[in-house]
Amino acid sequence: MLVAAAVCPCPPLLVPEVAAGAAPELEAARAACTDAMGVLAASRPDLLVVVGAGERAGERSGRLAYRQGSRGSFRGFGVDLDVRLGRDGDGPEPGRELPVPLAVGAWLLGRTGWSDAPVEGLAVAAATAPDECAAAGRDLAARSRRVALLVMGDGSACRSLKAPGYLDERAEPFDDEVARALGAADPAGLAALDAGLAGELKASGRAPWQVLAGAAEGAGLSGALLYDDAPYGVGYLVATWS
């Protein structure tokens, strides 16, 4: 059963070593993520699963699981920094490096010293249909008596002229609805997000958020929105459900 969730953005710039001189610009987002990690720890889960979008995840089922000890890297961003998903566990699988959203999640866990529950990862293809995301979430919630999720994903990337997807007038209302649903711990609101519109707005969080929606069905959790801003024209949100 799902007992807690933290929702965080997943830009590599969240990692100060990657951001370099621009690191102070996301300090408020990092602080909110740290607070969200505290909510996860306080929930004392038996299992923590980091959920994020992954390009390779759509090869068959639309999902790709990563076991504890899987490794990721920020070397592709010019930084000599590696991360590990939780403790050593079974170790990484050959050729299975964490996708960037899960690597950022692993960095957040390492930064806050997570050492309690076992940690696994789940990458969900960005194009996964909402009902399939919900089914994945229900599967995760049934994995253990006390399950927590760290859900990594960004809002629209079309909030300004300099945004990766340029300015789209639909972007801010879309992000506002996500923020409302996250702050209210409203699974139905997340489940109702338009996958086609999310794709057009380059919102990488849509599929992971809808996994959360499936996992939270009937859990009766309360929500808190900790951060809502759009630096670089991309919607970044931090929220907790507990």
Side-chain angles (χ1 to χ4, degrees), residues 138-157:
R138 288 190 290 269
D139 289 347
L140 290 179
R143 288 278 310 279
S144 184
R145 188 175 63 87
R146 298 182 64 82
V147 176
L149 300 183
L150 173 54
V151 183
M152 308 298 299
D154 298 341
S156 67

Side-chain angles (χ1 to χ4, degrees), residues 31-215:
C33 290
T34 298
D35 291 342
M37 296 301 102
V39 171
L40 288 184
S43 72
R44 302 183 66 83
D46 301 320
L47 172 67
L48 173 65
V49 183
V50 184
V51 181
E55 294 180 2
R56 291 183 54 201
E59 294 175 357
R60 292 186 180 179
S61 66
R63 315 177 200 173
L64 192 59
Y66 292 82
R67 63 194 184 190
Q68 180 160 290
S70 294
R71 296 181 181 274
S73 171
F74 295 99
R75 296 174 188 272
F77 302 95
V79 175
D80 185 13
L81 177 63
D82 297 323
V83 292
R84 184 180 65 204
L85 196 60
R87 299 186 296 270
D88 283 336
D90 296 325
E93 299 176 55
R96 292 281 299 279
E97 185 171 284
L98 295 171
V100 171
L102 297 190
V104 175
W107 174 81
L108 281 173
L109 291 171
R111 179 175 186 253
T112 53
W114 183 274
S115 62
D116 297 333
V119 182
E120 298 177 7
L122 180 69
V124 184
T128 303
D131 59 340
E132 295 174 0
C133 292
R138 288 190 290 269
D139 289 347
L140 290 179
R143 288 278 310 279
S144 184
R145 188 175 63 87
R146 298 182 64 82
V147 176
L149 300 183
L150 173 54
V151 183
M152 308 298 299
D154 298 341
S156 67
C158 304
R159 293 278 294 272
S160 72
L161 293 175
K162 294 184 178 181
Y166 198 64
L167 178 64
D168 190 313
E169 63 182 12
R170 302 171 297 172
E172 188 168 355
F174 176 88
D175 287 344
D176 285 347
E177 174 54 25
V178 175
R180 185 209 63 78
L182 290 176
D186 178 10
L190 292 182
L193 293 174
D194 186 313
L197 175 60
E200 292 173 11
L201 297 176
K202 304 183 185 301
S204 69
R206 192 277 307 173
W209 296 331
Q210 290 183 326
V211 171
L212 169 60

